[in-house]
Coordinates of all heavy atoms in Angstrom, one line a residue:
M1 N -65.1 59.0 -117.0 CA -65.3 58.8 -115.5 C -64.0 59.0 -114.7 O -63.0 58.4 -115.0 CB -65.8 57.3 -115.3 CG -67.3 57.1 -115.6 SD -68.4 57.7 -114.3 CE -68.4 56.3 -113.2
P2 N -64.0 59.9 -113.8 CA -62.8 60.1 -113.0 C -62.6 59.0 -112.0 O -63.6 58.3 -111.6 CB -63.1 61.4 -112.2 CG -64.6 61.6 -112.2 CD -65.1 60.8 -113.4
A3 N -61.4 58.7 -111.8 CA -61.1 57.6 -110.9 C -61.6 57.9 -109.5 O -61.6 59.1 -109.1 CB -59.6 57.3 -110.8
L4 N -62.0 57.0 -108.7 CA -62.5 57.2 -107.4 C -61.3 57.6 -106.5 O -60.2 57.0 -106.5 CB -63.1 56.0 -106.7 CG -64.5 55.7 -107.1 CD1 -65.0 54.3 -106.6 CD2 -65.5 56.8 -106.6
V5 N -61.5 58.8 -105.8 CA -60.4 59.2 -104.9 C -60.7 58.7 -103.5 O -61.8 58.9 -103.0 CB -60.4 60.8 -104.8 CG1 -59.4 61.3 -103.9 CG2 -60.2 61.3 -106.2
R6 N -59.8 58.0 -103.0 CA -60.0 57.4 -101.6 C -59.7 58.5 -100.6 O -58.6 59.1 -100.7 CB -59.0 56.2 -101.4 CG -59.2 55.1 -102.4 CD -58.5 53.9 -102.1 NE -59.2 53.1 -101.1 CZ -58.6 52.1 -100.4 NH1 -57.4 51.9 -100.5 NH2 -59.4 51.4 -99.5
P7 N -60.5 58.7 -99.6 CA -60.3 59.7 -98.6 C -59.1 59.3 -97.8 O -58.9 58.2 -97.4 CB -61.5 59.7 -97.8 CG -62.2 58.4 -98.1 CD -61.8 58.0 -99.4
A8 N -58.2 60.3 -97.6 CA -57.0 60.1 -96.8 C -57.2 60.4 -95.3 O -56.4 60.0 -94.5 CB -55.9 61.0 -97.3
M9 N -58.4 61.0 -95.1 CA -58.7 61.4 -93.7 C -59.0 60.1 -92.9 O -59.7 59.2 -93.4 CB -59.8 62.3 -93.7 CG -59.9 63.2 -92.5 SD -61.4 64.3 -92.6 CE -60.9 65.3 -94.0
K10 N -58.6 60.2 -91.6 CA -58.9 59.1 -90.7 C -59.7 59.6 -89.5 O -59.4 60.6 -88.9 CB -57.6 58.5 -90.3 CG -57.7 57.2 -89.5 CD -56.3 56.7 -89.2 CE -56.3 55.5 -88.3 NZ -55.0 55.1 -87.8
V11 N -60.8 58.9 -89.2 CA -61.6 59.3 -88.1 C -61.0 58.7 -86.8 O -60.8 57.5 -86.7 CB -63.1 58.7 -88.3 CG1 -63.9 59.1 -87.0 CG2 -63.7 59.3 -89.5
I12 N -60.6 59.6 -85.9 CA -60.0 59.2 -84.7 C -61.1 58.9 -83.6 O -61.1 57.9 -82.9 CB -59.1 60.3 -84.1 CG1 -58.0 60.7 -85.1 CG2 -58.5 59.9 -82.8 CD1 -57.1 59.5 -85.6
K13 N -62.1 59.8 -83.6 CA -63.1 59.6 -82.6 C -64.4 60.2 -83.2 O -64.4 61.3 -83.7 CB -62.8 60.4 -81.3 CG -63.6 59.9 -80.1 CD -63.1 60.7 -78.9 CE -64.0 60.4 -77.7 NZ -63.7 61.2 -76.5
S14 N -65.5 59.5 -83.1 CA -66.8 60.0 -83.6 C -67.9 59.6 -82.6 O -67.9 58.5 -82.1 CB -67.0 59.4 -85.0 OG -68.4 59.5 -85.3
P15 N -68.8 60.6 -82.4 CA -69.9 60.2 -81.5 C -70.8 59.1 -82.1 O -71.5 58.4 -81.4 CB -70.7 61.5 -81.4 CG -70.1 62.5 -82.3 CD -68.8 61.9 -82.9
K16 N -70.7 58.9 -83.4 CA -71.4 57.9 -84.1 C -70.9 56.5 -83.7 O -71.6 55.5 -83.8 CB -71.3 58.0 -85.6 CG -72.3 58.9 -86.2 CD -72.3 58.8 -87.7 CE -73.2 59.8 -88.4 NZ -72.9 59.8 -89.9
A17 N -69.7 56.4 -83.3 CA -69.1 55.1 -83.0 C -69.7 54.5 -81.7 O -69.7 53.3 -81.6 CB -67.6 55.3 -82.8
G18 N -70.2 55.4 -80.9 CA -70.9 54.9 -79.7 C -70.0 54.3 -78.6 O -68.8 54.2 -78.8
K19 N -70.7 53.9 -77.6 CA -69.9 53.3 -76.5 C -69.6 51.9 -76.7 O -70.4 51.2 -77.4 CB -70.7 53.5 -75.2 CG -70.6 54.9 -74.6 CD -71.3 54.9 -73.2 CE -70.3 54.3 -72.2 NZ -71.0 54.3 -70.8
K20 N -68.5 51.4 -76.1 CA -68.1 50.1 -76.4 C -68.5 49.1 -75.2 O -68.2 48.0 -75.2 CB -66.6 50.0 -76.6 CG -66.1 50.7 -77.8 CD -66.3 49.9 -79.1 CE -65.4 50.4 -80.2 NZ -65.8 51.7 -80.7
T21 N -69.1 49.7 -74.2 CA -69.5 48.9 -73.1 C -71.0 49.3 -72.7 O -71.4 50.4 -73.0 CB -68.6 49.1 -71.8 OG1 -68.7 50.4 -71.4 CG2 -67.2 48.7 -72.1
K22 N -71.7 48.4 -72.0 CA -73.0 48.7 -71.6 C -73.2 48.0 -70.3 O -72.7 46.9 -70.1 CB -74.0 48.4 -72.6 CG -75.4 48.9 -72.3 CD -76.4 48.6 -73.5 CE -77.7 49.1 -73.1 NZ -78.7 49.0 -74.1
R23 N -74.0 48.5 -69.4 CA -74.3 47.8 -68.1 C -75.5 46.9 -68.3 O -76.6 47.3 -68.8 CB -74.5 48.8 -67.0 CG -73.2 49.4 -66.5 CD -73.3 50.4 -65.5 NE -72.0 51.1 -65.4 CZ -71.8 52.0 -64.5 NH1 -72.7 52.5 -63.7 NH2 -70.6 52.6 -64.5
F24 N -75.4 45.7 -67.8 CA -76.4 44.7 -67.8 C -76.5 44.1 -66.4 O -75.5 44.0 -65.7 CB -76.2 43.7 -68.9 CG -76.4 44.1 -70.3 CD1 -75.3 44.4 -71.1 CD2 -77.6 44.4 -70.8 CE1 -75.4 44.8 -72.4 CE2 -77.8 44.9 -72.1 CZ -76.6 45.1 -72.9
K25 N -77.7 43.6 -66.1 CA -77.8 42.9 -64.8 C -77.7 41.4 -65.1 O -78.3 40.9 -66.1 CB -79.2 43.2 -64.2 CG -79.2 44.3 -63.2 CD -80.2 44.1 -62.1 CE -79.9 45.0 -61.0 NZ -80.9 46.1 -60.9
C26 N -77.0 40.7 -64.2 CA -76.8 39.3 -64.3 C -78.2 38.7 -63.9 O -78.8 39.1 -63.0 CB -75.8 38.8 -63.3 SG -75.8 37.0 -63.1
S27 N -78.6 37.7 -64.8 CA -79.9 37.1 -64.5 C -79.8 36.1 -63.3 O -80.8 35.6 -62.8 CB -80.5 36.4 -65.7 OG -79.6 35.4 -66.1
G28 N -78.6 35.8 -62.9 CA -78.5 34.8 -61.8 C -78.4 35.5 -60.4 O -79.4 35.4 -59.6
C29 N -77.4 36.4 -60.2 CA -77.2 37.0 -58.9 C -77.6 38.5 -58.9 O -77.5 39.1 -57.9 CB -75.8 36.8 -58.4 SG -74.6 37.8 -59.4
R30 N -78.1 39.0 -60.0 CA -78.6 40.4 -60.1 C -77.5 41.4 -60.0 O -77.7 42.6 -59.7 CB -79.7 40.7 -59.1 CG -80.9 39.7 -59.0 CD -81.5 39.5 -60.4 NE -82.2 40.6 -60.9 CZ -82.6 40.8 -62.2 NH1 -82.3 39.8 -63.1 NH2 -83.2 41.8 -62.6
A31 N -76.2 41.0 -60.1 CA -75.1 41.9 -60.1 C -75.2 42.8 -61.3 O -75.6 42.4 -62.4 CB -73.8 41.2 -60.1
T32 N -74.9 44.1 -61.2 CA -74.8 45.0 -62.3 C -73.4 44.9 -62.9 O -72.4 45.0 -62.1 CB -75.1 46.4 -61.9 OG1 -76.4 46.4 -61.3 CG2 -75.0 47.3 -63.1
L33 N -73.3 44.6 -64.2 CA -72.0 44.3 -64.8 C -71.8 45.2 -65.9 O -72.7 45.5 -66.7 CB -71.9 42.9 -65.3 CG -72.2 41.8 -64.2 CD1 -72.6 40.5 -64.9 CD2 -71.1 41.6 -63.3
E34 N -70.5 45.7 -66.0 CA -70.2 46.5 -67.2 C -69.7 45.6 -68.2 O -68.6 45.0 -68.1 CB -69.1 47.6 -66.8 CG -68.7 48.5 -67.9 CD -69.2 49.9 -67.8 OE1 -69.6 50.3 -66.7 OE2 -69.2 50.6 -68.8
V35 N -70.5 45.4 -69.2 CA -70.1 44.3 -70.2 C -69.6 45.0 -71.5 O -70.1 45.9 -72.0 CB -71.4 43.5 -70.6 CG1 -71.1 42.5 -71.6 CG2 -72.0 42.9 -69.4
G36 N -68.5 44.5 -71.9 CA -67.8 45.0 -73.1 C -68.0 44.0 -74.3 O -68.4 42.8 -74.1
G37 N -67.6 44.4 -75.5 CA -67.8 43.5 -76.6 C -67.0 42.2 -76.5 O -67.5 41.2 -77.0
K38 N -65.9 42.3 -75.8 CA -65.1 41.0 -75.6 C -65.8 40.0 -74.8 O -65.4 38.8 -74.9 CB -63.7 41.4 -74.9 CG -62.8 42.2 -75.8 CD -61.3 42.1 -75.2 CE -61.3 42.6 -73.7 NZ -61.4 44.0 -73.5
D39 N -66.6 40.5 -73.9 CA -67.3 39.5 -73.0 C -68.5 38.8 -73.6 O -69.0 37.9 -73.0 CB -67.8 40.3 -71.8 CG -66.7 41.1 -71.1 OD1 -65.6 40.6 -70.9 OD2 -66.9 42.3 -70.8
L40 N -68.9 39.3 -74.8 CA -70.1 38.8 -75.4 C -69.8 37.6 -76.3 O -68.8 37.6 -77.1 CB -70.8 39.9 -76.2 CG -71.4 41.0 -75.4 CD1 -71.8 42.1 -76.3 CD2 -72.5 40.6 -74.6
K41 N -70.7 36.6 -76.2 CA -70.6 35.5 -77.1 C -71.8 35.5 -78.0 O -72.9 35.6 -77.6 CB -70.6 34.1 -76.4 CG -69.2 33.7 -75.9 CD -69.3 32.5 -75.0 CE -69.8 32.8 -73.6 NZ -69.8 31.7 -72.7
F42 N -71.6 35.4 -79.3 CA -72.7 35.5 -80.3 C -73.4 34.1 -80.3 O -72.8 33.1 -80.3 CB -72.1 35.7 -81.7 CG -73.2 35.9 -82.7 CD1 -74.1 36.9 -82.7 CD2 -73.4 34.9 -83.7 CE1 -75.1 37.0 -83.7 CE2 -74.3 35.0 -84.7 CZ -75.2 36.1 -84.7
Q43 N -74.7 34.2 -80.2 CA -75.6 33.0 -80.1 C -76.6 33.1 -81.2 O -77.6 33.9 -81.1 CB -76.3 32.9 -78.8 CG -75.4 33.0 -77.5 CD -74.7 31.7 -77.2 OE1 -74.8 30.7 -77.9 NE2 -73.9 31.8 -76.2
A44 N -76.4 32.4 -82.3 CA -77.4 32.4 -83.4 C -78.6 31.5 -83.0 O -78.4 30.3 -82.6 CB -76.7 31.9 -84.7
D45 N -79.7 32.1 -83.0 CA -80.9 31.3 -82.7 C -82.0 31.5 -83.8 O -82.5 32.6 -83.9 CB -81.5 31.8 -81.3 CG -82.6 30.9 -80.8 OD1 -83.3 30.4 -81.6 OD2 -82.6 30.7 -79.6
P46 N -82.2 30.5 -84.6 CA -83.1 30.6 -85.7 C -84.6 30.8 -85.3 O -85.4 31.3 -86.0 CB -83.0 29.3 -86.4 CG -82.3 28.3 -85.5 CD -81.6 29.2 -84.5
R47 N -84.9 30.5 -84.1 CA -86.3 30.7 -83.6 C -86.6 32.1 -83.1 O -87.5 32.7 -83.5 CB -86.7 29.6 -82.6 CG -86.8 28.2 -83.1 CD -86.9 27.2 -82.0 NE -85.8 27.4 -81.1 CZ -85.7 27.0 -79.8 NH1 -86.7 26.4 -79.3 NH2 -84.6 27.2 -79.1
D48 N -85.8 32.5 -82.1 CA -86.0 33.7 -81.4 C -85.2 34.9 -81.9 O -85.3 36.0 -81.4 CB -85.7 33.6 -79.9 CG -86.6 32.5 -79.3 OD1 -87.8 32.3 -79.8 OD2 -86.2 31.8 -78.4
G49 N -84.4 34.7 -82.9 CA -83.5 35.7 -83.4 C -82.2 35.7 -82.7 O -82.1 35.0 -81.7
N50 N -81.2 36.4 -83.2 CA -79.9 36.3 -82.7 C -79.8 36.9 -81.3 O -80.5 37.9 -81.0 CB -78.9 37.0 -83.6 CG -78.8 36.2 -84.9 OD1 -79.1 35.0 -85.0 ND2 -78.4 36.9 -86.0
A51 N -78.9 36.4 -80.5 CA -78.7 37.0 -79.2 C -77.2 36.9 -78.8 O -76.4 36.3 -79.6 CB -79.5 36.2 -78.2
Y52 N -76.9 37.5 -77.8 CA -75.5 37.5 -77.2 C -75.6 37.0 -75.8 O -76.6 37.2 -75.1 CB -74.8 38.8 -77.3 CG -74.5 39.3 -78.7 CD1 -75.4 40.0 -79.4 CD2 -73.3 39.0 -79.2 CE1 -75.1 40.4 -80.7 CE2 -73.0 39.4 -80.5 CZ -73.9 40.1 -81.3 OH -73.6 40.5 -82.5
S53 N -74.6 36.3 -75.3 CA -74.6 35.9 -73.9 C -73.2 36.3 -73.3 O -72.2 36.5 -74.0 CB -74.7 34.4 -73.8 OG -73.6 33.7 -74.2
F54 N -73.3 36.6 -72.0 CA -72.1 36.8 -71.2 C -72.1 36.0 -70.0 O -73.2 35.6 -69.5 CB -71.8 38.3 -70.9 CG -72.9 38.9 -70.1 CD1 -72.8 38.8 -68.7 CD2 -74.0 39.6 -70.7 CE1 -73.8 39.4 -67.9 CE2 -75.0 40.2 -69.9 CZ -74.9 40.1 -68.5
T55 N -71.0 35.6 -69.4 CA -70.9 34.8 -68.2 C -70.5 35.8 -67.1 O -69.5 36.5 -67.1 CB -69.8 33.8 -68.4 OG1 -70.1 33.0 -69.5 CG2 -69.8 32.8 -67.2
C56 N -71.4 35.7 -66.0 CA -71.2 36.6 -64.9 C -69.9 36.1 -64.1 O -69.7 34.9 -63.8 CB -72.4 36.4 -63.9 SG -72.2 37.3 -62.4
P57 N -69.0 37.1 -63.8 CA -67.8 36.7 -63.0 C -68.1 36.3 -61.6 O -67.3 35.7 -60.9 CB -66.9 37.9 -63.1 CG -67.8 39.0 -63.5 CD -69.0 38.5 -64.2
E58 N -69.2 36.7 -61.1 CA -69.6 36.5 -59.7 C -70.2 35.1 -59.5 O -69.7 34.3 -58.7 CB -70.6 37.5 -59.2 CG -70.1 38.9 -59.1 CD -69.1 39.1 -57.9 OE1 -69.4 38.5 -56.8 OE2 -68.1 39.7 -58.0
C59 N -71.2 34.8 -60.3 CA -71.9 33.5 -60.1 C -71.7 32.5 -61.3 O -72.3 31.4 -61.2 CB -73.4 33.8 -59.8 SG -74.3 34.4 -61.3
K60 N -71.0 32.9 -62.3 CA -70.7 32.1 -63.5 C -71.9 31.7 -64.3 O -71.8 30.8 -65.1 CB -69.9 30.8 -63.0 CG -68.8 31.0 -62.1 CD -67.7 31.8 -62.7 CE -66.5 32.0 -61.7 NZ -65.7 33.1 -62.0
Q61 N -73.0 32.4 -64.1 CA -74.2 32.0 -64.8 C -74.2 32.8 -66.1 O -73.8 34.0 -66.2 CB -75.5 32.4 -64.0 CG -76.7 32.0 -64.8 CD -77.9 31.8 -63.8 OE1 -77.8 31.2 -62.7 NE2 -79.0 32.3 -64.2
D62 N -74.7 32.2 -67.2 CA -74.9 32.9 -68.5 C -76.1 33.7 -68.5 O -77.2 33.3 -68.1 CB -74.9 31.9 -69.6 CG -73.5 31.3 -69.9 OD1 -72.5 31.9 -69.4 OD2 -73.5 30.3 -70.6
T63 N -76.0 35.0 -69.0 CA -77.2 35.8 -69.2 C -77.3 36.1 -70.7 O -76.3 36.4 -71.3 CB -77.0 37.2 -68.5 OG1 -77.0 36.9 -67.1 CG2 -78.2 38.1 -68.8
W64 N -78.5 35.9 -71.2 CA -78.7 36.1 -72.7 C -79.3 37.4 -72.9 O -80.3 37.8 -72.2 CB -79.5 35.0 -73.3 CG -78.8 33.7 -73.5 CD1 -78.0 33.0 -72.5 CD2 -78.8 32.9 -74.6 NE1 -77.5 31.9 -73.1 CE2 -77.9 31.8 -74.4 CE3 -79.3 33.0 -75.9 CZ2 -77.7 30.8 -75.3 CZ3 -79.1 32.0 -76.9 CH2 -78.3 30.9 -76.6
I65 N -78.9 38.1 -74.0 CA -79.4 39.4 -74.3 C -79.8 39.4 -75.8 O -78.9 39.0 -76.6 CB -78.4 40.5 -74.0 CG1 -78.0 40.5 -72.6 CG2 -79.0 41.9 -74.4 CD1 -76.7 41.2 -72.3
A66 N -81.0 39.9 -76.1 CA -81.3 39.9 -77.5 C -80.3 40.9 -78.3 O -79.9 41.9 -77.7 CB -82.7 40.5 -77.7
A67 N -80.0 40.5 -79.5 CA -79.0 41.2 -80.2 C -79.4 42.7 -80.4 O -78.6 43.6 -80.5 CB -78.7 40.6 -81.6
D68 N -80.7 42.9 -80.5 CA -81.2 44.3 -80.7 C -80.8 45.2 -79.6 O -80.8 46.4 -79.7 CB -82.8 44.3 -80.8 CG -83.3 43.6 -82.0 OD1 -82.4 43.3 -82.9 OD2 -84.5 43.3 -82.1
L69 N -80.6 44.7 -78.4 CA -80.3 45.5 -77.2 C -78.8 45.8 -77.1 O -78.4 46.6 -76.2 CB -80.7 44.8 -75.9 CG -82.3 44.5 -75.8 CD1 -82.6 43.7 -74.6 CD2 -83.0 45.8 -75.8
I70 N -78.0 45.2 -77.9 CA -76.6 45.5 -77.9 C -76.2 46.6 -78.9 O -76.5 46.4 -80.1 CB -75.8 44.2 -78.3 CG1 -76.2 43.0 -77.5 CG2 -74.3 44.4 -78.2 CD1 -75.8 43.0 -76.0
P71 N -75.6 47.7 -78.4 CA -75.3 48.7 -79.4 C -74.3 48.2 -80.5 O -73.5 47.4 -80.2 CB -74.6 49.8 -78.5 CG -74.9 49.5 -77.1 CD -75.3 48.0 -77.1
Q72 N -74.6 48.6 -81.7 CA -73.8 48.2 -82.8 C -72.3 48.2 -82.6 O -71.6 47.3 -82.9 CB -74.2 49.0 -84.1 CG -73.7 48.4 -85.4 CD -74.5 47.2 -85.8 OE1 -73.9 46.1 -85.8 NE2 -75.8 47.3 -86.0
A73 N -71.9 49.3 -81.9 CA -70.5 49.6 -81.7 C -69.8 48.5 -80.9 O -68.6 48.3 -81.0 CB -70.2 51.0 -81.1
M74 N -70.5 47.9 -80.0 CA -69.9 47.0 -79.1 C -70.1 45.5 -79.5 O -69.6 44.6 -78.8 CB -70.3 47.2 -77.6 CG -71.7 46.9 -77.3 SD -72.1 47.1 -75.5 CE -71.6 45.5 -74.8
R75 N -70.8 45.3 -80.5 CA -71.1 43.9 -81.0 C -69.8 43.3 -81.5 O -69.2 43.9 -82.4 CB -72.1 43.8 -82.1 CG -73.5 44.2 -81.6 CD -74.5 44.0 -82.7 NE -75.8 44.7 -82.3 CZ -76.9 44.7 -83.0 NH1 -76.9 44.0 -84.1 NH2 -77.9 45.3 -82.6
P76 N -69.4 42.1 -81.0 CA -68.3 41.5 -81.6 C -68.7 41.0 -83.0 O -69.9 40.7 -83.3 CB -68.0 40.3 -80.7 CG -69.2 40.1 -79.9 CD -70.0 41.4 -79.9
A77 N -67.8 41.0 -83.9 CA -68.1 40.6 -85.3 C -68.6 39.2 -85.3 O -68.1 38.3 -84.7 CB -66.9 40.7 -86.2
A78 N -69.8 39.0 -86.0 CA -70.3 37.7 -86.1 C -69.6 36.9 -87.1 O -69.3 37.4 -88.2 CB -71.8 37.8 -86.5
R79 N -69.2 35.7 -86.8 CA -68.4 34.8 -87.7 C -69.3 33.9 -88.4 O -70.3 33.4 -87.9 CB -67.4 34.1 -86.9 CG -66.1 34.9 -86.6 CD -65.1 34.2 -85.8 NE -65.7 34.1 -84.4 CZ -65.4 34.9 -83.4 NH1 -64.6 35.9 -83.7 NH2 -65.9 34.7 -82.2
G80 N -69.0 33.6 -89.7 CA -69.7 32.5 -90.4 C -71.0 32.9 -91.0 O -71.5 34.0 -90.9
Ligands
ZN1 ZN1 -74.2 36.7 -61.4

């Protein structure tokens, strides 16, 4: 068996990586917000499935989004 060769190449940019932000509407004041991965808080919900929430900078209300609607590339790593 030959030893596994680790690829030395590094991906700088790939369309597969996708966008790191997505626009969502605040459920409180209806503001359109450009939400990034840093803005999302992971919310584990055993009944309805996992979700993420973000806090609107305008009205400070939390908006919950089903995890399925968050592109993989912008999801913050789930801990635990
Ligand atoms: Zn708002």
Side-chain angles (χ1 to χ4, degrees):
M1 282 281 276
L4 278 173
V5 179
R6 303 190 80 193
M9 201 180 297
K10 190 176 172 186
V11 177
I12 305 302
K13 196 178 172 187
S14 163
K16 275 190 184 170
K19 282 189 75 180
K20 297 279 198 293
T21 63
K22 191 173 177 179
R23 282 178 193 180
F24 290 104
K25 266 212 166 108
C26 168
S27 62
C29 68
R30 310 307 294 165
T32 302
L33 305 163
E34 181 107 19
V35 180
K38 291 196 304 285
D39 306 314
L40 294 169
K41 277 174 283 183
F42 182 69
Q43 308 281 0
D45 191 325
R47 288 169 305 160
D48 299 328
N50 294 336
Y52 290 89
S53 74
F54 62 85
T55 305
C56 174
E58 292 288 321
C59 69
K60 313 294 181 205
Q61 184 160 316
D62 285 345
T63 296
W64 283 51
I65 303 157
D68 292 348
L69 297 175
I70 307 289
Q72 194 68 247
M74 69 177 272
R75 291 185 196 183
R79 280 175 289 266

